[in-house]
Amino acid sequence: MTAKKVVVFDYGFGNVRSAERALARVGADVEITRDYDRAMNADGLLVPGVGAFSACMAGLKEARGDWIVGRRLAGGRPVMGICVGMQILFERGVEHGVETEGLDEWPGTVGPLKAPVVPHMGWNTVEAPEESELFAGLDADARFYFVHSYAVTDWTLETANPALRAPKVTWSTHGERFVAAVENGALWATQFHPEKSGDAGARLLTNWLATL
């Protein structure tokens, strides 16, 4: 069986090496690159992200990542975002009063997480829907590694077209409830870091590879 080709998109704002190692461990043929053609033609594209929403968006646009994500999704080609790589898929981000446009694949605003301790750093459980493919085979008490100060906390997304499925949304709680993961056709994303989440993260990445 031929290994699935996955490109970890290197636009300067992500833990690309840890993502590469985690994907390789679960059997992917991984390449770190920002090359347009390689990113477009891979079986799966992983978009990492750390730091500020605005900086990540600027870096992604400079590397033409916004075009790549849009073109892949228009053709039904799988994309997965991690941490800020998930946040930039939403309509906008607001940090320190500054609003930045995201990729607008999903409506919604990424804003400050209201909790007694911020950033939310460490292991936490999630509430995944029963029909989730991303969390298939994982126990309800599985823990994942989070590092973030911003999140989507108020999000209700329903499709007006009954022929289209609404996204599968997974939640977690730190101070308040927030979106921990989304499965939406070819576009999947996690607020936590699967590449730093041990066996649970490895199973999750294996589940993603199985859909490529």
Side-chain angles (χ1 to χ4, degrees), residues 166-191:
K168 301 170 188 174
V169 182
T170 293
W171 297 83
S172 189
T173 302
H174 179 72
E176 61 182 331
R177 205 161 177 255
F178 64 89
V179 176
V182 183
E183 299 162 66
N184 186 198
L187 182 57
W188 289 11
T190 66
Q191 177 62 70

Side-chain angles (χ1 to χ4, degrees), residues 32-187:
I32 298 173
T33 185
R34 63 192 294 166
D35 180 82
Y36 184 89
D37 291 329
R38 290 179 180 274
M40 283 298 301
N41 294 324
D43 295 312
L45 179 71
L46 188 140
V47 181
V50 296
F53 187 107
S54 57
C56 284
M57 275 304 302
L60 192 72
K61 288 182 176 180
E62 191 275 330
R64 298 178 71 198
D66 52 339
W67 281 85
I68 293 168
V69 170
R71 289 282 301 277
R72 282 187 63 92
L73 292 176
R77 306 295 304 279
V79 175
M80 183 171 182
I82 290 177
C83 198
V84 184
M86 167 180 150
Q87 294 179 359
I88 59 177
L89 295 168
F90 286 88
E91 186 177 1
R92 67 178 66 86
V94 178
E95 295 180 338
H96 306 295
V98 177
E99 184 173 310
T100 304
E101 290 185 2
L103 295 178
D104 200 15
E105 295 296 338
W106 298 314
T109 299
V110 179
L113 185 62
K114 298 179 180 66
V117 178
V118 176
H120 174 209
M121 182 181 298
W123 299 83
N124 206 345
T125 56
V126 301
E127 307 164 36
E130 289 185 5
E131 68 276 14
S132 171
E133 295 177 75
L134 186 58
F135 294 89
L138 286 160
D139 295 334
D141 60 354
R143 292 179 174 269
F144 300 89
Y145 190 76
F146 290 84
V147 182
H148 64 118
S149 299
Y150 296 83
V152 176
T153 59
D154 182 15
W155 194 42
T156 301
L157 181 56
E158 298 178 355
T159 175
N161 185 344
L164 299 177
R165 291 184 178 180
K168 301 170 188 174
V169 182
T170 293
W171 297 83
S172 189
T173 302
H174 179 72
E176 61 182 331
R177 205 161 177 255
F178 64 89
V179 176
V182 183
E183 299 162 66
N184 186 198
L187 182 57

Side-chain angles (χ1 to χ4, degrees), residues 191-208:
Q191 177 62 70
F192 55 83
H193 288 274
E195 79 281 10
K196 296 181 178 181
S197 296
D199 291 343
R203 179 56 190 262
L204 186 143
L205 291 174
T206 299
N207 290 343
W208 182 58

